[in-house]
Each structure stands twice: as structure tokens, then as C-alpha cells.
Amino acid sequence: RRVHTALPSTPYGRIFGYLPEAEYLAACNFTFQLWDFFISFTIAEHRTALMLTHHLLAASVSIADWALHYFAVFYLGLSEFSSIFLVFVDLAKFFPPVPGTFYDKVVGVCGPCFVLTFFIYRVVIWWKVELLLFQDCQHVLKERMPQRLRPGKVWVIYFFCGSALFLGLLQIYWFYLVVLKVIDTLQS
């Protein structure tokens, strides 16, 4: 919530503004993504070049956060909201619920909630935030602010934008897979 009140609502504020919460999110996300990277080697369906690249890229973005704290709150925090529901859906694969139990009802609600929140946060809002990110970065780069404020670190802006674009395309691909799974489930 503070991201909208603690940082100036300008390209400079969104790119260079400091937010302690964003540093905390970056540290948590780095730890989580690094853990997932190594754990993925033990899970066949996660041991793919795409998943491993995703985890490495997300971890790298987390440690390259000298700026962009406004955007870090979304990319490293809010976009993960759908994962809360996915945890229960995945848990049900390993520990199937007994029909009619409270756990069965929770899993039954979490599936649709995952699809809905994934679509809202990782498809719709992701691209709105991405557009703002690109506009802000274009503005500060045109004004040569990164070169003056962070000499030698301009690459971080390009890296963050490129990573956000790649990860955004990945969200669309994953949503496509989710839709295929929903169709398959409804047909069976």
C-alpha cells in the first residue's frame, strides 16, 4: 500500500525511489527463487530449461534492485498472489483430498481462485505495469538520469526491462497451459 504514498508518482520516483519493503521483498524472492532453482533438479516436471531459466532470471532481478523499487513491489510481490492458491492445488496432487472433507472443499475453491488470480495479476495487470515500466525507463534514459545517478549501472534498467518482458511472455504461455488444463478437466 505504501508504494503509492511513499514514492513520488513520477518516472523518477518510480525508477529511483527507495522503499525498504521492496528490499525485503527482493531478499525473500531471491531466497525463494534460488531454492526453487536447486529443488527443480529433483522434480522431473520442473527440471526443464524454461523453469530453470525462470528461477535464475527471477533471482537475478531480485538482486539487481538498486532502483525500480516501485515495480519490484508488483513483480516480486503482488504477482505471486496466485501462487497461494496453487500451493493447495499442487498439494492435492501428492495428498489427494477425501471427497466431502473440508480439505476437499478448500482444494475445490483454490483451483478456480488460482486461474482467476493468475489471469488478473499475471496476465492483465502484468502488462499494464510493464507498459508503465517501459514508459518510465524510456523517460529517465532519454534524460540520462541513470548515468548521472548510478554511473556504470545503467545495464540494470535494461536487464530489468528485458527480464520483465521475458517473464511476461512466460506468464502468457503458462496461462495458455492453465486454460488447456481447465478445458481438459471440464471435458473429463
Side-chain angles (χ1 to χ4, degrees):
R1 182 185 306 179
R2 276 181 21 90
V3 73
H4 296 292
T5 58
L7 299 177
S9 186
T10 65
Y12 301 108
R14 288 187 293 267
I15 298 296
F16 298 110
Y18 173 75
L19 198 61
E21 294 91 334
E23 279 192 342
Y24 178 74
L25 272 174
C28 291
N29 196 280
F30 173 76
T31 305
F32 174 75
Q33 295 298 340
L34 195 61
W35 166 262
D36 259 6
F37 175 77
F38 288 111
I39 288 299
S40 290
F41 285 103
T42 67
I43 303 168
E45 68 184 80
H46 292 216
R47 196 175 37 236
T48 65
L50 194 59
M51 285 300 287
L52 295 172
T53 301
H54 161 259
H55 292 307
L56 275 181
L57 195 56
S60 299
V61 166
S62 297
I63 59 172
D65 82 328
W66 61 261
L68 303 140
H69 284 192
Y70 175 90
F71 296 100
V73 169
F74 174 77
Y75 289 120
L76 305 179
L78 287 175
S79 69
E80 295 292 339
F81 183 69
S82 63
S83 297
I84 296 168
F85 302 108
L86 183 60
V87 167
F88 291 99
V89 171
D90 283 347
L91 192 62
K93 292 177 189 173
F94 299 100
F95 303 99
V98 175
T101 62
F102 177 72
Y103 175 49
D104 183 42
K105 291 179 176 116
V106 168
V107 171
V109 167
C110 285
C113 286
F114 166 70
V115 174
L116 181 64
T117 56
F118 189 99
F119 177 71
I120 291 169
Y121 286 97
R122 295 185 180 219
V123 177
V124 176
I125 297 174
W126 186 286
W127 290 100
K128 290 174 80 172
V129 172
E130 187 105 2
L131 179 62
L132 183 60
L133 169 66
F134 286 164
Q135 289 170 338
D136 285 355
C137 287
Q138 180 184 17
H139 181 82
V140 300
L141 287 167
K142 186 177 172 185
E143 299 290 322
R144 301 193 51 78
M145 286 303 285
Q147 293 87 331
R148 286 184 290 209
L149 296 174
R150 302 286 195 272
K153 305 263 184 177
V154 177
W155 66 270
V156 173
I157 288 183
Y158 291 107
F159 177 72
F160 202 94
C161 286
S163 299
L165 179 61
F166 173 78
L167 293 169
L169 293 171
L170 198 52
Q171 305 307 324
I172 291 172
Y173 171 70
W174 281 334
F175 188 68
Y176 166 74
L177 295 180
V178 167
V179 168
L180 290 180
K181 181 70 175 169
V182 167
I183 291 169
D184 184 50
T185 302
L186 291 174
Q187 290 177 343
S188 58

